[in-house]
Amino acid sequence: MSTSASEISARIVEAVMAQKLAPGSRLGEQPLAMLFDCSRTIVREALTRLAARGIVTVSARRGWFVIEPSQDEAREAFEARRVIELGLIRSTGSTGKIDKAALRQLKAHLQREKAALKESDVGNRSFLLGDFHVCLAECLGNTLLADTLRDFTARTTLIAMLYQSTHDAVQSCEDHVQIVAALERGDHAAAEALMAAHIGTVQSALRVQAPTDPLAQLRDALAPLQQKKKTTAAGPRRRKAAAPSPHDTDSSTYLGALL
């Protein structure tokens, strides 16, 4: 039986969260159809759903690609996660302690995280660390927000890959342990503060470069050649060198300087 569009989209999101699909990875319809033993129509449906969720993008001429978030999109994605996750913890604080079944589920997830840290499968470790936030939303009783968090977690995973995050996986797991412990003792204020610090730490570990002038290189290349540094009054006056002509130089070199 061929794979459904929902199953394909879920597999792609899992691969992103496991850091097995890098930002900008091409997702060809035909290769995916062959891989999942289905029609290109089903693949296209899956990719269209992921595009609506902000995981992939499409170019009319080039095809489908995993998104490459900009610095502004990175900031917005972390801010969205902060609002959702802190809001979830705060809203459940009014109902008292988290129930025992949910705690068992969270602790089981933490055990899988700890086991993954001891193994060499980086993909599984990355997936579990990201999926903790989805699991937490489910355990706090909001499936709709869990689905939303899955998409935002996938986006922030791509952001971490794109901007070479230095965040320590061991520290991330320890943060999760402390958050669950705070929830278990009914201290939602502490859990909220711990989650805020955790998301902030992950975001601050990104190596985001300061904004640069996108026209700097072109502006320098196209600056008028006669604008030379003037000699001082005490120095000898020298005759200006004639501006080089494109005909006096190899054409590829001249064009290269312009571009």
Side-chain angles (χ1 to χ4, degrees):
M1 186 173 67
S2 65
T3 313
S4 69
S6 297
E7 290 170 327
I8 294 171
S9 59
R11 288 276 293 278
I12 291 174
V13 171
E14 287 177 4
V16 166
M17 291 176 64
Q19 298 189 7
K20 293 182 178 180
L21 277 177
S25 297
R26 191 173 189 280
L27 301 170
E29 291 183 9
Q30 188 57 39
L32 287 174
M34 295 173 63
L35 179 64
F36 289 108
D37 188 25
C38 64
S39 68
R40 290 181 61 172
T41 301
I42 293 178
V43 168
R44 198 174 299 117
E45 180 183 348
L47 294 174
T48 300
R49 292 180 184 181
L50 290 176
R53 292 163 59 183
I55 307 299
V56 305
T57 186
V58 63
S59 168
R61 296 185 178 181
R62 299 174 60 236
W64 300 90
F65 294 86
V66 178
I67 62 164
E68 295 182 89
S70 66
Q71 293 183 20
D72 285 341
E73 288 170 333
R75 176 184 52 77
E76 290 172 358
F78 276 100
E79 183 58 34
R81 277 190 57 183
R82 188 176 288 107
V83 170
I84 292 172
E85 298 192 59
L86 300 190
L88 265 174
I89 294 173
R90 190 180 307 122
S91 66
T92 56
S94 59
T95 62
K97 289 186 177 182
I98 187 171
D99 66 70
K100 293 181 178 179
L103 273 174
R104 284 195 298 269
Q105 185 176 342
L106 283 170
K107 288 182 177 180
H109 194 286
L110 292 176
Q111 290 303 315
R112 290 194 293 274
E113 284 187 26
K114 293 176 181 178
L117 290 174
K118 299 176 182 178
E119 299 172 355
S120 59
D121 189 345
V122 177
N124 185 47
R125 180 183 69 195
S126 176
F127 174 79
L128 287 170
L129 290 172
D131 195 54
F132 167 81
H133 298 269
V134 181
C135 180
L136 178 61
E138 291 174 340
C139 289
L140 294 179
N142 199 315
T143 305
L144 180 61
L145 284 181
D147 290 337
T148 302
L149 266 178
R150 183 176 289 104
D151 292 346
F152 278 117
T153 302
R155 289 172 69 88
T156 50
T157 299
L158 289 169
I159 290 162
M161 294 171 70
L162 187 62
Y163 296 106
Q164 300 177 349
S165 173
T166 58
H167 188 60
D168 185 8
V170 174
Q171 182 58 53
S172 186
C173 181
E174 180 57 31
D175 290 349
H176 295 169
V177 170
Q178 293 182 22
I179 291 167
V180 172
L183 288 171
E184 183 174 19
R185 63 177 183 266
D187 192 346
H188 287 75
E192 185 178 339
L194 287 166
M195 180 63 79
H198 171 63
I199 295 174
T201 301
V202 175
Q203 185 175 6
S204 64
L206 301 178
R207 295 173 180 171
V208 179
Q209 297 179 345
T212 57
D213 179 4
L215 298 178
Q217 184 177 0
L218 189 61
R219 181 179 289 109
D220 182 62
L222 297 180
L225 295 179
Q226 63 269 25
Q227 288 184 359
K228 300 291 185 179
K229 185 177 180 180
K230 295 181 180 179
T231 57
T232 61
R237 297 179 64 85
R238 297 180 181 178
R239 188 176 66 179
K240 289 185 178 179
S245 164
H247 301 293
D248 298 332
T249 321
D250 177 72
S251 60
S252 61
T253 304
Y254 183 75
L255 288 174
L258 290 180
L259 298 175

